[in-house]
Amino acid sequence: MLNIIIAGPPGSGKGTQAKLMVEAFGFIHLSTGDMLRREIELGSPLGKEVESILARGDLVSDQIVISLISNNVNAHPRARGFLFDGFPRTLAQAQALDAFLEKTGHPLRMMILLDVDDSVCETRLLRRATLENRPDDTDALRVRHRLATYHSQTVPIIEHYKKQGKFVSVDSSKNPEYTFNQVSEWLKPIL
Ligand code: ADP
């Protein structure tokens, strides 16, 4: 079983790469953003609790996303591998994931960072707001807030996985195919 994190700022193309990676390599895709949006659509108690947090572009509690992830991992005992997208987003989440995967006997193998400048992300997100129904993408202020949260909360995870020798980075500033070629080059030798 191969467990991989796909990481990067909002707008870096994690969802697009995740889709390509699932098609090519058969990962089970676990996106905390998708899970939370599904709860909101369903109108579940959890959805009601997190709706305004997502709309503001703040992070929901570590405890909520950690339990979403562990429930989903446990639901797929025969998975070939998991692709974690949008998780972990804080150091505490990374530590929880490490401990959880350690227990399954399949520790994290690699964190792939989609590297792209904030200005490119901002342009992409504002364009996405008109194509998809994402209230957190609709104005520059909210988008900048999410980028700032990424830099303060999520960037420290890079150091965490660098120390473990599990960190790699690819250029995600051009088109999806260009990025996916680099992702594939990292994955092929370990698949
Ligand atoms: P993006 O990377 O474009 O921000 P996501 O779909 O990954 O999109 O996340 C959307 C929102 O869902 C985040 O802004 C945050 O409010 C919430 N969220 C997703 N994943 C997490 C997480 N691991 N921890 C806390 N909040 C999260």
Side-chain angles (χ1 to χ4, degrees):
M1 176 145 72
L2 193 63
N3 292 316
I4 303 283
I5 296 171
I6 183 100
S12 58
K14 296 187 295 287
T16 306
Q17 291 306 314
K19 198 162 168 265
L20 295 169
M21 290 162 81
V22 167
E23 281 164 13
F25 306 117
F27 287 104
I28 294 203
H29 178 210
L30 297 183
S31 156
T32 40
D34 286 352
M35 292 175 198
L36 293 166
R37 281 186 291 274
R38 203 171 307 131
E39 295 294 328
I40 293 170
E41 265 169 44
L42 289 171
S44 71
L46 174 62
K48 291 203 173 83
E49 185 183 337
V50 301
E51 187 163 16
S52 60
I53 302 175
L54 263 80
R56 280 199 305 276
D58 288 330
L59 296 184
V60 309
S61 75
D62 289 337
Q63 188 216 325
I64 289 177
V65 287
I66 290 166
S67 74
L68 281 174
I69 285 287
S70 50
N71 290 343
N72 273 277
V73 169
N74 289 333
H76 296 93
R78 275 192 284 276
R80 224 183 119 199
F82 291 100
L83 179 60
F84 298 98
D85 162 4
F87 179 92
R89 243 176 168 94
T90 64
L91 210 47
Q93 290 176 23
Q95 284 156 350
L97 179 68
D98 291 354
F100 179 74
L101 291 180
E102 218 43 79
K103 264 191 261 160
T104 69
H106 303 281
L108 186 83
R109 191 65 193 273
M110 188 182 274
M111 169 180 176
I112 303 176
L113 178 79
L114 303 182
D115 187 28
V116 52
D117 286 345
D118 282 10
S119 57
V120 176
C121 293
E122 204 176 309
T123 313
R124 288 180 184 170
L125 290 172
L126 294 173
R127 195 177 53 215
R128 179 167 80 182
T130 56
L131 302 173
E132 296 172 23
N133 187 20
R134 284 279 302 254
D136 53 345
D137 286 345
T138 43
D139 63 76
L141 222 58
R142 263 185 277 195
V143 162
R144 280 187 204 139
H145 177 58
R146 270 159 61 218
L147 286 164
T149 304
Y150 170 79
H151 287 287
S152 64
Q153 303 288 314
T154 309
V155 166
I157 296 175
I158 293 174
E159 216 39 59
H160 175 80
Y161 286 115
K162 260 189 194 164
K163 280 192 210 137
Q164 297 184 16
K166 294 177 177 172
F167 174 80
V168 304
S169 166
V170 301
D171 177 0
S172 195
S173 67
K174 299 185 174 72
N175 55 61
E177 294 71 28
Y178 178 78
T179 305
F180 186 62
N181 281 336
Q182 301 167 73
V183 169
S184 300
E185 288 310 306
W186 282 112
L187 287 178
K188 275 181 199 150
I190 59 171
L191 278 167

